[in-house]
């Protein structure tokens, strides 16, 4: 089983739609969680961290469910500029080896006019 | 402006050649990482390092080695390049326990 799994999509939605992505992780020792965004032919960039209490940044809401080992990202009022690949990232920190950040394969979002 | 610099954007090598990919960061970050990215497979971790001279195998270390002689520099070495190592290689760094990776622009390697 992959350490971090995402539905690859693509999710094809109209402007203004609400879209949700899920991500599951297999290592229960994972401590911190993130969503990254990657535009075509560019490097990934941090979108937001994910906390157990849930967190919101404008139109974006991230949730963590430790019991079920999944993370979600909700995008409200989609814009054309939201079209990108969204990557789920899980961190396992060990004193002996530091941070190990593992990526999911990404979910592609295409927002149409 | 924070920066991670990879030495080569594009390389073409022949099977069996030794390949060095260099990465330098100017943020005094403890952690550095090498990933490769392939269509349908996402970013896969090759090696990572949390301190000078320390290295840890990631998920796909076979065929690769690394060197971290200085905090700011993390090199990826392909001892004998093979065609299945044709890929986009991404270097990243992060301060300890923050999870915010800063990536270089990537090195696209083609092995013929």
């Amino acid at each position: 089983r992959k350490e971090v799994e995402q539905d690859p999509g693509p999710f094809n939605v109209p402007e203004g739609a609400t879209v949700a992505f899920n991500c599951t992780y297999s290592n229960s020792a994972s401590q911190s969680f993130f969503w990254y965004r990657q535009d075509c032919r560019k490097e990934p960039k941090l979108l937001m961290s994910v906390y157990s209490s849930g967190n919101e940044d404008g139109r974006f809401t991230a949730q963590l469910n430790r019991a079920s080992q999944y993370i979600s990202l909700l995008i409200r009022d989609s814009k054309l500029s939201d079209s990108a690949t969204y990557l789920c990232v899980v961190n396992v920190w060990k004193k002996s080896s530091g941070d190990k950040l593992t990526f999911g394969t990404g979910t592609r979002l295409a927002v149409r006019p | 402006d924070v920066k991670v610099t990879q030495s080569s954007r594009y390389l073409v090598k022949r099977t069996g050649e030794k390949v060095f990919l260099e990465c330098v960061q100017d943020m005094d970050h403890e952690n550095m990482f090498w990933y490769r990215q392939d269509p349908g497979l996402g970013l896969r971790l090759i090696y990572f390092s949390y301190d000078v001279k320390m290295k840890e195998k990631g998920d796909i270390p076979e065929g690769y080695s690394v060197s971290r002689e200085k905090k700011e520099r993390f090199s990826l070495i392909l001892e004998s390049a093979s065609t299945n190592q044709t890929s986009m290689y991404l270097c990243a760094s992060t301060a300890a326990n923050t999870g915010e990776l800063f990536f270089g622009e990537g090195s696209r390697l083609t092995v013929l």
Side-chain angles (χ1 to χ4, degrees):
Chain A
R1 185 185 168 188
K2 284 184 183 174
E3 209 166 321
V4 183
E5 292 204 68
Q6 294 181 252
D7 179 345
F11 284 58
N12 197 321
V13 303
E15 270 188 294
T18 295
V19 62
F21 307 135
N22 286 329
C23 166
T24 58
Y25 61 96
S26 59
N27 188 344
S28 58
S30 302
Q31 294 118 332
S32 49
F33 309 88
F34 309 90
W35 284 101
Y36 276 69
R37 170 191 169 129
Q38 186 173 25
D39 293 295
C40 192
R41 300 187 188 281
K42 296 281 190 182
E43 69 275 17
K45 294 204 171 153
L46 179 67
L47 179 65
M48 58 198 304
S49 303
V50 188
Y51 305 116
S52 297
S53 53
N55 50 302
E56 193 172 306
D57 183 3
R59 297 180 293 108
F60 298 82
T61 301
Q63 295 271 1
L64 165 64
N65 184 320
R66 284 191 185 270
S68 303
Q69 294 185 196
Y70 81 80
I71 308 151
S72 63
L73 177 68
L74 183 78
I75 305 176
R76 289 181 299 279
D77 189 23
S78 299
K79 312 287 184 197
L80 294 176
S81 57
D82 294 334
S83 298
T85 297
Y86 291 84
L87 301 157
C88 172
V89 180
V90 171
N91 188 24
V92 177
W93 180 87
K94 292 181 183 175
K95 191 174 178 182
S96 58
S97 58
D99 292 291
K100 182 186 178 192
L101 288 131
T102 302
F103 282 75
T105 52
T107 299
R108 198 153 64 85
L109 172 65
V111 182
R112 63 181 187 272
Chain B
D1 200 17
V2 296
K3 207 157 182 179
V4 178
T5 305
Q6 293 184 228
S7 53
S8 306
R9 292 292 305 276
Y10 301 94
L11 302 97
V12 180
K13 298 289 181 181
R14 296 204 174 275
T15 301
E17 280 193 85
K18 192 168 185 176
V19 182
F20 291 90
L21 298 178
E22 301 281 336
C23 175
V24 178
Q25 50 99 359
D26 64 2
M27 296 164 280
D28 201 35
H29 284 165
E30 295 84 359
N31 297 308
M32 295 188 76
F33 303 79
W34 274 105
Y35 294 89
R36 63 177 283 180
Q37 186 168 28
D38 301 285
L41 297 175
L43 281 90
R44 292 180 291 165
L45 181 61
I46 304 170
Y47 266 96
F48 60 111
S49 167
Y50 66 99
D51 201 353
V52 175
K53 297 196 185 294
M54 307 305 287
K55 58 186 177 185
E56 293 291 327
K57 291 181 181 179
D59 300 313
I60 52 161
E62 297 79 18
Y64 303 94
S65 61
V66 289
S67 170
R68 194 158 180 209
E69 296 296 318
K70 293 185 178 181
K71 189 175 185 181
E72 66 269 21
R73 188 179 298 268
F74 193 34
S75 303
L76 181 69
I77 302 146
L78 288 68
E79 292 289 340
S80 176
S82 61
T83 54
N84 63 12
Q85 293 179 309
T86 291
S87 187
M88 171 66 85
Y89 290 87
L90 289 161
C91 174
S93 72
T94 181
N97 274 316
T98 63
E100 183 171 10
L101 288 161
F102 292 87
F103 282 88
E105 290 184 306
S107 299
R108 183 165 290 283
L109 172 67
T110 301
V111 183
L112 301 174

